Amino acid sequence: MDSRSGVAKENNVSSKGIRKKVKNSESVALQRYKIDTYNLVDLDKVLNDVYCSSRPVSADYVARKNTLKHLNALALDIFGNSPVLKAYGSFAMDMFFAQSDLDVSINFGNGTSELPKLQILERFAEKLRSLQGEGHVRNVVSILTARVPIVRFVDQRTSVECDLAVDSKDAVLYSQIIQIISQIDDRFQKLCLLIKLWAKSHYVNSASHNTLNSISITLLVAHHLQTRDPPILPPFSVLFKDGIDPFNVEKRTKEFLNCGQQRNKESLGRLFVTFFVKLQSVEFLWRQGLCVSLLSGLWISKKWRKSGVGINVEDFIDVSQNVARVVNERGAKKIYGCINKTVDNIFEFLNGKIDGAHLKDMLFVPQAVVESPTPPVQPVEVYHQPPHHKYRCAEFKGHHNKRPRFGNGGEEVMHVGDDNHAIDLPPPPPPFGRVYRIYCDKFGPRNSP
């Protein structure tokens, strides 16, 4: 905790300044859109319909639990009693869709395996490939050059796609903490699912394409709820007073259950609109060091070792890390293009210009990516260029071109056509068209052969 307080002290003055900028920018945006003048009941209905239709059913939970059971049995067969496979990511947070993959970590007790991670994955991949012919799994792929090496496959018995990693204990802990905190207020989980669905539909939920990964989206939503007035979620540092062990975090979390709903009655629709308006209003502050801090529950100013121009979201376990570090200038431009379009769509709906079905399609249905057509290549008339020799403008013999002599304001005579001052002219163009006319104006008409 000392390192965290050190970071806060280091940026205390600039953090106050940047919070003032955020407040002013957001205030201007809210006044411009006049959100308070709208009745958001219809928007609430649209969002709740999307949420309910996107939620997984009990069979989706059972399928993932069965996949995890199959993998633990497989690990026992390969390695013996030591490894335990645990889920992390969206399923462990209870923020997944029916189509979401299952992230699984191979953990070796309290320590690590004596085998290198890549060797562990290769042994698992070899075993999985041997089961492909028996109809248990399919599409086994080893992705070992990634930042986090994985083996990807589909459990054919449950149709669940699975990403298998080794010793992702921090990710497991992260997921457990988020799942515990989401119990404080159900609007957190609902808003996370809606924003993730929006991001997937707009193709801005891909770290490999320099846009937002899922944990960045989750933390941006959590921070939005922390910075409401009054707050819906507490600063994470309050929940971590006894440490970040899930048992202690859950004990602290119980003190805040439903507190947000008692103090803050904002609807899902209002939280959805203000999430995008808030991000829109701070677009140009990221470059100035604006950063999301879940520990403090505030906006802070923070400079990273690898300075970027994207989006800054401080890791609440390792504050030296920016969980949105993959977002570069191009990725941020794409994200903000989608945010701006989404704000326009929402207010078109609120102003009665489009209906709810149309809004659902624009916000949550993936749009086909249409490539700009390549303009047809215009045919070019080809002519045979005569050999290049020293062309002399015979028509101009005895004539002079004159140019200013800047030294004395007079004119310097430049002989063009006599034998002692021959000029190597460029080859003439074909005897037609605008280029030929320009050539003749500059060098005289081309002689006929």
Side-chain angles (χ1 to χ4, degrees), residues 130-186:
S130 70
L131 296 174
Q132 281 192 125
E134 301 175 17
H136 296 305
V137 298
R138 69 174 188 270
N139 302 341
V140 180
V141 180
S142 298
I143 307 174
L144 306 181
T145 57
R147 184 172 177 268
V148 178
I150 62 170
V151 171
R152 178 170 293 162
F153 65 96
V154 176
D155 185 341
Q156 209 152 320
R157 292 163 291 190
T158 61
S159 298
V160 173
E161 183 176 90
C162 184
D163 286 351
L164 196 62
V166 178
D167 279 331
S168 294
K169 293 177 182 177
D170 287 345
V172 172
L173 175 62
Y174 225 95
S175 304
Q176 291 173 338
I177 290 174
I178 293 296
Q179 192 277 327
I180 292 168
I181 293 174
S182 69
Q183 298 172 24
I184 293 177
D185 195 298
D186 63 353

Side-chain angles (χ1 to χ4, degrees), residues 353-389:
K353 295 181 179 178
I354 58 174
D355 59 20
H358 196 181
L359 182 67
K360 284 182 188 178
D361 287 345
M362 289 191 291
L363 297 189
F364 302 112
V365 176
Q367 304 297 315
V369 179
V370 180
E371 296 289 342
S372 300
T374 304
V377 178
Q378 298 296 328
V380 177
E381 186 172 354
V382 179
Y383 69 93
H384 296 287
Q385 176 67 45
H388 178 49
H389 299 292

Side-chain angles (χ1 to χ4, degrees), residues 239-282:
L239 304 176
F240 298 163
K241 279 186 176 180
D242 300 324
I244 58 174
D245 177 81
F247 176 79
N248 292 324
V249 174
E250 187 165 21
K251 188 169 60 174
R252 282 281 180 183
T253 298
K254 288 178 181 178
E255 301 174 11
F256 294 90
L257 293 179
N258 301 318
C259 287
Q261 290 182 337
Q262 293 172 9
R263 297 181 300 169
N264 185 311
K265 305 288 186 181
E266 288 181 290
S267 69
L268 185 61
R270 184 178 177 84
L271 292 173
F272 187 82
V273 177
T274 51
F275 175 82
F276 287 107
V277 170
K278 178 181 289 182
L279 286 182
Q280 186 185 57
S281 69
V282 302

Side-chain angles (χ1 to χ4, degrees), residues 19-32:
R19 280 197 288 273
K20 186 176 180 180
K21 292 181 180 179
V22 170
K23 185 177 181 180
N24 291 340
S25 297
E26 188 176 3
S27 176
V28 168
L30 292 174
Q31 289 176 13
R32 180 171 72 249

